[in-house]
Amino acid sequence: MLLGNIYPDYDERKIGISSQLAIKAISKAVGINKEKVVQEWKSLGDLGKVAEKLTKNKKQSTLQSHILTTEKILENLRKLPALEGKGTVDKKIALITELLTSASPVEALYLVRTLIGDLRIGIQVSTIRESMAHAFFKNEKEEAQKIQGAIDKANDLAAIFDIVKKGKTSGLGKVKVEIGKPIKAMLAQKAKTIKEGFEAVGKPCAIEYKYDGFRLIIHKKGNNIILFTRRLENVTKQFPEVADYIRKYVNADSAILDSEAVGFDKKTKEYKPFQSISQRIKRKYDIEKLQEELPIEINVFDILYYNGKSLLDEHFKKRTELIKKIIESHPYKIIHSKQIITDDEKKAEDFYKKALKDRQEGVMMKNLDAVYNPGSRVGHMLKIKPEERDFDLVITGGEYGKGKRSGWISSFILSCRDKDKFLEIGKVGTGFKEKKEEGVSFEELTEKVKPLITEEKGKNVKIKPKIVVSVTYQEIQKSPTYSSGFALRFPRFTALRPDRSASDIATLTEIKKDFGKQKRNWKYG
Ligand code: AMP
C-alpha cells in the first residue's frame, strides 16, 4: 500500500477508480452535493485534499470517530477489482464510502489518492528495500543487494517482506524463477562506437541486431504459453499466433525466452518500425484481423529458464547456444536473433551496417561470460545506435486547445525522470494527427489521458505520469521555464510506448550527457 497498490505490480487486478467515481463517493461520505465537491476540486486541484478538507468540516459538526484499520482498507479495496456487471458502480461507491465515513481528514486524503492511483508520497521500491534491510539486518548494504535480487525475480514486495521479516536472508535464496510469474527484463547501457563496445564487453563477444520492436518475455509450460511485456503486463491474449509458434517450434517442456517482437510488411516482408505495430499491444478486440494486418516476427535472443531449471546464473554463451539448439527458426514467425560472434572490428562494423540497412536500430554487443541480471541496466550488454535525437518521455500535463481543437488537449507537457521525481522538459503539439484514421490523434490521446487527470485549472491539466511517448527533437537547450532546467527544441511526437513504463524513460543524467555531447560537437565540428 505504500506504493499505492493492493497487489503486486504485474497483477492485473487494479483499484481503478476514476476521479468521477471518487467525487461521487466523497460527496456521499461527507453529505455534500457533487457540484460542491467538483468546485473544491477546481480550487484545490487535488481530490485527496478535497476529501481532507470536507472531512474536517464534517467532523467538526458531527464529532464522531471511528477506527480505520489497514486490514479493513485492504479488504474493501481488494473487493473493487472483482466487481462486475450490473450495479457495479453502486457497489464500488458503497465500499469506498464505508471507508471514507470512518476516516480522519488525513486518512481521507491518502485514501482518496490511493483510490485514484495518485498517492505521491515519494516512496519507491528502492525505499522499501532499504527500509527492510535497515529494519531486519545489521549488514544493511549487502543484504539490501540480496533483497533487490529477490525482488527482481519475484516482483512481489509483500512476498519478499514475509521472508525478510524473519531476520534471515537465507530464505531469499529460495525465491525461484517461476513459470507464469513475470521476471524483469535485463536492460542495456549505451556505447557510442563498436570500438568502445569491444572495450567494455571484451573480445570476442556476441553482436546481434537491435530490433526496433517491443520486448516480449515468453513463458512456456507444456502447451501453456504466457507472454509478458517489459512492464510485466500479460499480453497473451493479444498475440495468439505467438503462442502457436512457441508450441510448434520450441522444443522444451518448460522455458522462459527473452525476445523482441518486430513488425513486418505482409507483402514486401520488410521490417517496419515499432510505431506501426504498437496498437497490437493494448488491443482487446479484432485480434485476428490485426494479426493478419500487422504481422510480427519473434526474435529470440535469450533464455532464462529451461526444463525446470533457472539459467540466470549460466553464461550468455551457453544460453545463446541453447536457443539455437531448441528453437527451430522459421522466418516471419520465430527466429534466433541475427548474431555473429567475433573479435574482429571490421566484421563487427559490417554487421552493424547490415543491421541499419535492414531497417533495424543498430546492434547489441554482449559479453559471452555474463549472467542474466533481471531488472538491471548492465554494462555487459550494450546498445549501439547511430546518433539519433530521440527520447522516451512521460506525459505529465497538458493544455486544452482552441477553435476546432477545443475539447481536445492539443499540447502535452513532457517530463524526464530524476530518481523518483518527474521533471518537465518541454511541450509537444506536433506529430499528432487531426483524424483518428491517420495515426495517433489529439482526440485519441486526450481520451487516454483523461482518466489520469489529477488537477484542472482553466485550460491546464496535470496528468499522472503513466503514458510514455517517443519524441524526436532538434536540440536540447538550457531553460529556466521547465523544472528539469532543460527544454527540447522542436519536439515531435513519433509513437506511443504502451510497452514501457515511467521508470523506463530518459533520465535527467542522460539528458545532461546528451546536452554535453551536443556542445562538444559544436566545438569540433
Ligand atoms: P533501449 O530500449 O534503447 O534501452 O534498448 C534496449 C531494448 O532493445 C531491449 O529492451 C529490447 O527490447 C530491444 N532489443 C532489440 N534487439 C535486441 C537484442 N538482440 N538483444 C537485446 N535486446 C534487444
Side-chain angles (χ1 to χ4, degrees):
M1 289 189 75
L2 287 172
L3 293 174
N5 257 339
I6 48 171
Y7 290 109
D9 233 2
Y10 67 80
D11 199 301
E12 288 181 338
R13 291 168 293 178
K14 307 278 178 214
I15 303 175
I17 296 295
S18 66
S19 299
Q20 291 312 318
L21 203 74
I23 289 169
K24 282 189 195 149
I26 295 169
S27 144
K28 215 164 160 201
V30 297
I32 283 178
N33 70 33
K34 245 177 59 192
E35 290 64 35
K36 186 85 205 310
V37 180
V38 173
Q39 219 176 1
E40 289 286 354
W41 188 31
K42 289 241 153 89
S43 89
L44 290 173
D46 173 339
L47 264 185
K49 287 200 179 132
V50 173
E52 182 183 32
K53 181 176 169 189
L54 296 178
T55 308
K56 209 179 271 168
N57 295 350
K58 181 191 141 199
K59 287 275 140 87
Q60 273 166 357
S61 57
T62 58
L63 277 177
Q64 26 166 261
S65 70
H66 300 266
I67 290 173
L68 197 55
T69 63
T70 319
E71 277 90 358
K72 178 64 189 166
I73 295 178
L74 205 51
E75 186 191 312
N76 279 24
L77 294 189
R78 284 193 165 166
K79 283 182 187 157
L80 294 171
L83 291 172
E84 261 178 57
K86 234 174 132 189
T88 296
V89 170
D90 290 337
K91 283 183 204 149
K92 283 186 177 174
I93 292 180
L95 285 166
I96 302 170
T97 313
E98 188 191 0
L99 299 177
L100 281 174
T101 43
S102 315
S104 70
V106 71
E107 283 166 345
L109 164 75
Y110 292 112
L111 190 57
V112 167
R113 282 196 184 169
T114 301
L115 285 166
I116 60 170
D118 187 36
L119 188 54
R120 277 186 289 137
I121 52 174
I123 289 191
Q124 284 191 301
V125 171
S126 57
T127 328
I128 296 180
R129 174 195 69 213
E130 299 300 316
S131 310
M132 287 201 268
H134 187 69
F136 301 115
F137 302 109
K138 283 215 185 71
N139 196 349
E140 281 175 43
K141 243 194 161 144
E142 206 174 284
E143 310 298 3
Q145 241 175 35
K146 285 188 197 156
I147 295 172
Q148 185 60 48
I151 292 173
D152 287 333
K153 275 186 207 166
N155 288 303
D156 182 345
L157 278 177
I160 303 296
F161 180 77
D162 271 336
I163 297 173
V164 169
K165 73 179 183 202
K166 295 183 186 123
K168 278 188 261 168
T169 41
S170 55
L172 290 175
K174 291 198 201 95
V175 174
K176 290 271 180 304
V177 175
E178 261 177 68
I179 306 267
K181 261 192 162 185
I183 309 180
K184 283 212 182 94
M186 177 164 80
L187 302 171
Q189 291 182 13
K190 265 191 214 167
K192 276 199 248 44
T193 58
I194 294 278
K195 190 157 184 274
E196 194 186 295
F198 271 125
E199 274 160 24
V201 302
K203 279 184 184 177
C205 71
I207 308 179
E208 296 174 359
Y209 272 25
K210 182 183 190 305
Y211 295 94
D212 183 12
F214 61 93
R215 195 101 178 230
L216 262 191
I217 300 201
I218 304 168
H219 293 231
K220 174 182 196 295
K221 190 174 205 171
N223 275 332
N224 192 11
I225 313 293
I226 308 174
L227 311 175
F228 292 107
T229 65
R230 112 180 204 181
R231 300 175 57 179
L232 315 184
E233 267 185 308
N234 185 330
V235 290
T236 312
K237 287 205 187 86
Q238 286 90 312
F239 301 97
E241 80 270 40
V242 176
D244 217 38
Y245 305 155
I246 303 295
R247 279 186 210 112
K248 279 195 189 132
Y249 306 127
V250 178
N251 184 11
D253 295 329
S254 60
I256 300 178
L257 305 173
D258 197 355
S259 75
E260 185 87 350
V262 194
F264 60 90
D265 187 291
K266 67 177 172 181
K267 286 207 195 88
T268 65
K269 297 283 201 273
E270 268 180 346
Y271 283 128
K272 295 206 290 192
F274 167 75
Q275 64 251 44
S276 65
I277 49 157
S278 65
Q279 48 171 307
R280 287 204 60 184
I281 297 173
K282 291 265 164 173
R283 199 58 166 256
K284 300 270 151 67
Y285 53 94
D286 282 346
I287 301 283
E288 271 173 29
K289 189 166 153 241
L290 227 59
Q291 173 184 332
E292 174 73 20
E293 278 167 15
L294 303 173
I296 53 167
E297 177 187 64
I298 301 299
N299 295 266
V300 182
F301 54 76
D302 218 326
I303 179 162
L304 319 184
Y305 187 94
Y306 174 62
N307 286 355
K309 229 183 110 218
S310 163
L311 302 180
L312 295 182
D313 296 325
E314 295 282 356
H315 288 184
F316 180 64
K317 184 155 189 287
K318 270 209 162 153
R319 304 200 305 272
T320 191
E321 276 165 7
L322 185 61
I323 292 174
K324 285 163 204 153
K325 213 171 92 192
I326 65 165
I327 301 178
E328 247 180 75
S329 245
H330 287 264
Y332 309 110
K333 291 181 178 164
I334 179 170
I335 63 167
H336 318 134
S337 293
K338 278 211 179 64
Q339 183 197 64
I340 56 168
I341 293 180
T342 186
D343 56 4
D344 184 312
E345 276 181 34
K346 170 85 178 46
K347 279 193 187 138
E349 292 285 357
D350 287 347
F351 187 74
Y352 182 22
K353 276 186 205 135
K354 203 164 136 246
L356 296 177
K357 225 177 109 200
D358 260 350
R359 300 190 172 196
Q360 296 308 320
E361 285 186 316
V363 289
M364 310 287 293
M365 295 181 79
K366 303 182 179 181
N367 180 323
L368 291 166
D369 300 325
V371 298
Y372 193 99
N373 307 103
S376 307
R377 201 169 277 286
V378 297
H380 56 72
M381 171 166 97
L382 300 174
K383 51 185 175 191
I384 297 157
K385 308 197 262 188
E387 189 86 44
E388 256 179 62
R389 297 175 189 276
D390 63 350
F391 281 130
D392 285 348
L393 298 165
V394 71
I395 294 176
T396 52
E399 197 179 320
Y400 276 98
K402 295 187 195 117
K404 66 175 180 173
R405 288 186 188 164
S406 63
W408 302 337
I409 297 175
S410 63
S411 163
F412 295 87
I413 296 173
L414 302 172
S415 291
C416 62
R417 187 170 64 83
D418 186 23
K419 298 201 183 80
D420 59 343
K421 278 207 229 64
F422 293 98
L423 303 175
E424 295 178 353
I425 186 165
K427 268 188 200 164
V428 67
T430 44
F432 304 106
K433 305 288 188 254
E434 299 286 337
K435 293 200 191 107
K436 251 188 174 155
E437 303 73 46
E438 293 166 351
V440 178
S441 61
F442 290 112
E443 189 180 357
E444 181 186 344
L445 200 49
T446 302
E447 289 307 316
K448 267 209 166 74
V449 301
K450 257 194 185 155
L452 303 172
I453 291 177
T454 52
E455 275 190 50
E456 276 202 65
K457 274 200 181 137
K459 282 193 176 310
N460 298 303
V461 294
K462 283 199 177 160
I463 296 167
K464 241 183 275 172
K466 294 276 182 208
I467 296 188
V468 177
V469 294
S470 295
V471 292
T472 58
Y473 61 90
Q474 247 174 32
E475 190 183 289
I476 308 169
Q477 296 176 319
K478 285 225 163 175
S479 161
T481 317
Y482 298 112
S483 50
S484 65
F486 293 99
L488 299 180
R489 207 165 127 83
F490 301 127
R492 182 181 188 83
F493 167 90
T494 56
L496 284 174
R497 296 289 335 197
D499 58 323
R500 301 198 168 180
S501 50
S503 56
D504 292 327
I505 62 170
T507 61
L508 185 61
T509 319
E510 283 168 338
I511 285 158
K512 277 186 189 153
K513 225 169 149 185
D514 286 4
F515 176 75
K517 260 195 264 169
Q518 228 174 241
K519 275 207 299 214
R520 247 177 307 166
N521 292 345
W522 290 334
K523 239 192 216 154
Y524 301 114

